[in-house]
Amino acid sequence: MAKLPPPVLIQIRIPMAQFGTVFCDHLAIARFKDGGWGDAAIEPLAPLPMHPASHVFHYASTCFEGFKAYRWQDGKARIFRLHDHVARMQRSAKSLHLPIPDPDLLTGMVEDLVRKQIDDIPEPPSSLYLRPTLIGTLPNIGAAAAPSTEATLFVLASPVGDYFAGGARPLKLLVADTYARSTEQLGSTKTGGNYAAALGPTLDAKEKYGVDQVLFCPGGDVQETGAANFLLISDDEVITKPLDTSFLHGMTRASILALAKDLGYRVNERDFTVQELLEWVATYEAALSGTAATLTPVGTLVYDEREIPVRDGGAGPNTEKLRKALQSIQYGDAPDVHGWLTEVSQ
Ligand code: COI
């Protein structure tokens, strides 16, 4: 029999809808009541009936996670750092005194939802964004100083492309030394209130300076932006703030630091000031890391009414190299030496 030539694969990049606006037609859901979690179910996506006195509406008892599943050429899905995200959600729930999701329950909910929606996962570089969310549902408007003893845990699935409009173009950040990213108590908790706190300063800065994000640097201490962690990168070093309770402990941050070590970079987790930052960006690249942001270059800082380019204002080669190292694992082009992927098939 004549041998056919191998098929020519042409990757066409179809523009995706705006990040987070399109949803799969099912969600995973479980409820906590009378001291225990009920069974999880996969249900058609529909509005949730909620008592208007629910704790979450009044006292912000809510936390969430964000991570991605990728569809490989073998037709199976791979979820990136599922178990680490589940563990972070448990820490967030604990800090908000919400019922802590059982890890097997939440892991199973995510896997079942990915299996159900596997055909909706777009090809890399797009992916399926997964959004587990935990809310306090106790109907009690007197419970400002009491925890919600009832809760709903659900997982949304959303096919996504780039988070920042315009793709991986270098971003512009306002360096703000007046506001903190969050509070000492909640900085490392992935709770909606932290994003609410960043919203006003971010909208003001967008309008006034045309920036993409605000880099929160209270008293000159460089923390993170509203949507991502912040890194400085040279040919042989990555500098980023060490973990403390003032900011979110990003899984992409941790992954980039691990890959940077693998590639021979020195990883320097240290506090640094705005003044140091402004000097260093003459030679260091700057980047934002996050599940949604992946590793996005920063091209310009705005500080004290001045625009300061990061190196030449373009995307740097080391940022590109580290992003590729991460994406190669996520897309199945490099071995998963750290054991970060969870396989799901139909
Ligand atoms: C993520 O990167 O997954 C986040 O949760 C940040 C959010 C602003 C999209």
Side-chain angles (χ1 to χ4, degrees), residues 150-181:
E150 294 177 13
T152 297
L153 173 66
F154 59 87
V155 185
L156 291 170
S158 169
V160 294
D162 291 316
Y163 178 67
F164 291 110
R169 71 188 158 81
L171 303 177
K172 195 195 252 197
L173 308 185
L174 177 71
V175 177
D177 50 16
T178 39
Y179 305 107
R181 169 70 183 96

Side-chain angles (χ1 to χ4, degrees), residues 19 64-67 88 129 131 163 190 195 226-228 248 290-293:
F19 186 102
F64 67 91
E65 274 303 316
F67 49 90
R88 190 172 68 179
Y129 186 81
R131 175 55 71 89
Y163 178 67
K190 201 161 173 66
Y195 297 85
L248 192 76
T291 295

